[in-house]
Amino acid sequence: MTMARQTNFFLAAITLALVVVRQATAFVAPHPAIVQPRITLHESTSDDGPSEGDNIETYLKENYPLFESLLLCKIPDIYSTLRSADASDGYTIFCPSNSIMESIDSGRKVQISDPRNDEVTEKLAAYHVIVNGKVTQERLKREDWTVPRVDGVAALNIGGVVTMGGELRVGRSKSGGFMGWGAKEDGGVVIGNNEAKITKSTNVGNAVVHEVDG
């Protein structure tokens, strides 16, 4: 996946409010049901990396400063919302890597920071947060053996997740091949229509933070 392709989601999202809303609400699940993430609350999170304390605000500001300052903080009362979720079902955050955020040109960053675009930016940021459950990689990767296989491959148990902004597609990641041909599944997970791959997961309090590459 090229850097240009990785940043398309951000660049397209901040151009016009109408475009953002239409693109964001276009996420659909390939599997018939969008599953509420709360069903994962009692599952093991051992595959989601080490624990990093329980202060999500400190963790994000230290590890994902651009995402936190440019996007997440645009959601009104976001940390109050997360504290409430932490005390009940837990929550999930998909954080673009620092390299992705740094690759956004200065002009686009100015647009994101412009108060006149807050509604657009808030909408985009909302697609990175699930407030009603802690969704682990284990849950995202689980296969559904109750439906027929397609080309010998079992379907994923869930086709998407419900974020604060709406539905996001969940699929398998692929690597290798040439110009999109011959790529094979590599055991990873991608989210959204831009197929951002989860590259790292960390437990923070009663939450999980998934770093994504797009």
Side-chain angles (χ1 to χ4, degrees):
M1 183 181 294
T2 65
M3 185 63 71
R5 180 182 176 187
Q6 291 172 340
T7 57
N8 279 345
F9 183 58
F10 293 101
L11 301 185
I14 59 180
T15 305
L16 292 172
L18 183 59
V19 173
V20 170
V21 172
R22 286 179 177 173
Q23 178 180 358
T25 55
F27 291 117
V28 295
H31 197 268
I34 297 294
V35 178
Q36 293 291 343
R38 65 176 64 250
I39 62 179
T40 66
L41 295 179
H42 303 293
E43 297 176 2
S44 168
T45 58
S46 59
D47 68 326
D48 284 319
S51 174
E52 292 289 345
D54 57 7
N55 191 321
I56 188 64
E57 184 173 2
T58 298
Y59 176 78
L60 293 176
K61 287 182 176 179
E62 291 179 350
N63 293 276
Y64 301 97
L66 284 178
F67 167 73
E68 196 280 335
S69 61
L70 288 178
L71 291 177
L72 190 67
C73 69
K74 298 294 186 179
I75 302 175
D77 302 317
I78 182 58
Y79 288 111
S80 175
T81 299
L82 295 182
R83 282 192 294 270
S84 296
D86 185 76
S88 55
D89 294 344
Y91 56 93
T92 306
I93 300 178
F94 299 102
C95 288
S97 66
N98 289 323
S99 61
I100 291 297
M101 296 301 298
E102 289 169 358
S103 69
I104 301 174
D105 65 68
S106 58
R108 296 296 187 183
K109 289 177 182 176
V110 170
Q111 286 182 305
I112 294 174
S113 302
D114 191 326
R116 293 173 297 180
N117 296 324
D118 279 355
E119 183 178 354
V120 175
T121 308
E122 178 187 341
K123 183 69 175 180
L124 174 61
Y127 276 87
H128 293 78
V129 183
I130 299 172
V131 293
N132 64 335
K134 181 177 180 178
V135 184
T136 67
Q137 280 203 60
E138 176 187 5
R139 181 67 182 94
L140 294 172
K141 294 177 181 179
R142 185 172 299 171
E143 296 179 342
D144 185 354
W145 297 93
T146 66
V147 298
R149 291 183 169 224
V150 177
D151 295 328
V153 179
L156 291 177
N157 189 254
I158 63 174
V161 291
V162 181
T163 71
M164 292 180 68
E167 299 169 358
L168 279 181
R169 186 181 71 85
V170 174
R172 291 185 172 93
S173 61
K174 296 181 179 182
S175 59
F178 178 72
M179 299 294 287
W181 294 92
K184 296 183 178 180
E185 294 178 1
D186 56 18
V189 176
V190 294
I191 61 167
N193 282 357
N194 65 321
E195 297 190 340
K197 183 178 181 179
I198 295 177
T199 58
K200 181 174 69 173
S201 300
T202 305
N203 294 308
V204 183
N206 194 24
V208 60
V209 175
H210 296 300
E211 180 178 305
V212 296
D213 68 358

